[in-house]
Amino acid sequence: MPELPEVETTRRGLAPHLEGRRVAGVVLRRPDLRWPIPPEVARHLPGQRIDAVRRRAKYLLLDTAAGSALLHLGMSGSLRVLPGRLAPGTHDHVDIRIAGRGGKVLRFNDPRRFGCLLWQAPGDVHPLLRGLGPEPLSDDFDGDYLHTRSRGRNAPVKSFLMDQRIVVGVGNIYAAEALFAAGISPLRAAGRVSRERYRGLADAVKAILAAAIRRGGTTLRDFTAPDGAPGYFEQELAVYGRGGLPCPACGRPLRQASIGQRASAWCAHCQR
Ligand code: ZN
């Protein structure tokens, strides 16, 4: 499943092909993905110039003066810029045709159709984007912020960190890895982690996400290759998915349990 680093890498890969270009047309090969594709997409997008390709949480926004196309890759989605003459495959559900030489299209492929294509009116914030916490790589997210938001909360710190209202885009893998790097037990009550330790945790979240984005930028990541793999990254993981295996720091077997209904692994010796 594409996580925040994959979505950010996708954004960086697509932006040079799309920003400043006009939309020549929209081809919808089915009426819905996870949700119906609203009529505004085909009605408003053609003729518009794409001013920016933005990311918010795991959503991508194509901003135009008429509004923004809002895309989510779901479980299996991918986006590519391809020659429009290239015949669409089975799961190529949407083409956004780009005006100009070469007749390129932005093609949305999604075998499992958990992705979406929605519309955000100018000056509006789509309901899916309302109430979200800050971006983890922004200056609004730091240890002081986590400390303030966590006071009085009894939920496990791992569940707290994965709450999109607290901070966006810290999925199960990144939460597990950041808690290990910060030496904090995922089971500890969020309200009982000190400010100092939250500073370490916020730094770990930023470092791990930034490293994944850097790695994404250096591996294949060809957004114009028709036969390229979706390009979700392999991670170097210290604890995630390694329950029962030796802790990379102390060698003791890692614990494994479900926390907030999400598989979790941690070292009971290194993480307190
Ligand atoms: Zn350990």
Side-chain angles (χ1 to χ4, degrees):
M1 169 156 68
E3 295 290 343
L4 185 143
E6 280 93 345
V7 180
E8 176 60 20
T9 304
T10 299
R11 187 195 72 74
R12 293 180 187 186
L14 296 178
H17 299 284
L18 301 179
E19 286 180 349
R21 310 299 295 271
R22 267 182 205 283
V23 174
V26 176
V27 179
L28 305 176
R29 298 196 180 85
R30 48 177 306 124
D32 58 350
L33 293 163
R34 179 173 184 175
W35 296 299
I37 298 169
E40 288 89 341
V41 172
R43 192 184 300 152
H44 295 322
L45 210 47
Q48 289 297 315
R49 192 186 65 194
I50 299 171
D51 294 324
V53 181
R54 270 192 306 136
R55 180 186 58 74
R56 177 73 173 111
K58 296 203 308 187
Y59 292 89
L60 288 171
L61 295 107
L62 309 181
D63 287 339
T64 77
S68 303
L70 180 66
L71 291 143
H72 194 286
L73 300 175
M75 306 284 286
S76 58
S78 61
L79 288 162
R80 288 211 155 59
V81 177
L82 299 171
R85 62 177 188 283
L86 199 75
T90 317
H91 303 296
D92 290 335
H93 304 306
V94 176
D95 279 355
I96 294 174
R97 291 169 37 228
I98 308 303
R101 275 187 310 130
K104 296 276 174 71
V105 298
L106 173 65
R107 186 161 283 175
F108 189 6
N109 176 287
D110 189 0
R112 296 182 63 184
R113 297 204 309 269
F114 280 103
C116 67
L117 171 55
L118 299 169
W119 187 256
Q120 176 175 283
D124 195 11
V125 175
H126 194 279
L128 288 169
L129 302 185
R130 288 179 202 155
L132 292 177
E135 290 287 329
L137 293 169
S138 74
D139 292 340
D140 295 337
F141 175 73
D142 61 15
D144 292 342
Y145 167 80
L146 284 177
H147 184 258
T148 302
R149 291 297 303 267
S150 62
R151 292 309 90 185
R153 288 183 189 244
N154 292 319
V157 62
K158 180 164 179 262
S159 305
F160 170 72
L161 190 61
M162 290 177 64
D163 183 341
Q164 301 297 298
R165 294 164 296 185
I166 300 300
V167 57
V168 299
V170 184
N172 199 26
I173 298 173
Y174 295 106
E177 295 295 306
L179 285 162
F180 176 76
I184 300 170
S185 166
L187 293 168
R188 177 172 285 276
R192 300 201 55 242
V193 176
S194 71
R195 183 184 297 271
E196 199 52 40
R197 298 182 85 205
Y198 268 129
R199 286 180 180 156
L201 181 60
D203 289 348
V205 167
K206 287 174 192 281
I208 288 167
L209 289 173
I213 292 168
R214 265 200 312 278
R215 207 155 51 239
T218 56
T219 50
L220 55 141
R221 312 315 300 152
D222 188 350
F223 289 94
T224 60
D227 52 353
Y232 307 149
F233 321 149
E234 290 296 320
Q235 317 265 345
E236 281 173 39
L237 301 172
V239 291
Y240 180 83
R242 296 191 68 247
L245 295 172
C247 167
C250 74
R252 293 172 174 84
L254 295 171
R255 293 261 179 99
Q256 183 168 275
S258 182
I259 301 173
Q261 290 160 358
R262 303 301 302 271
S264 305
W266 72 101
C267 177
H269 177 73
C270 298
Q271 296 176 253
R272 299 301 177 98

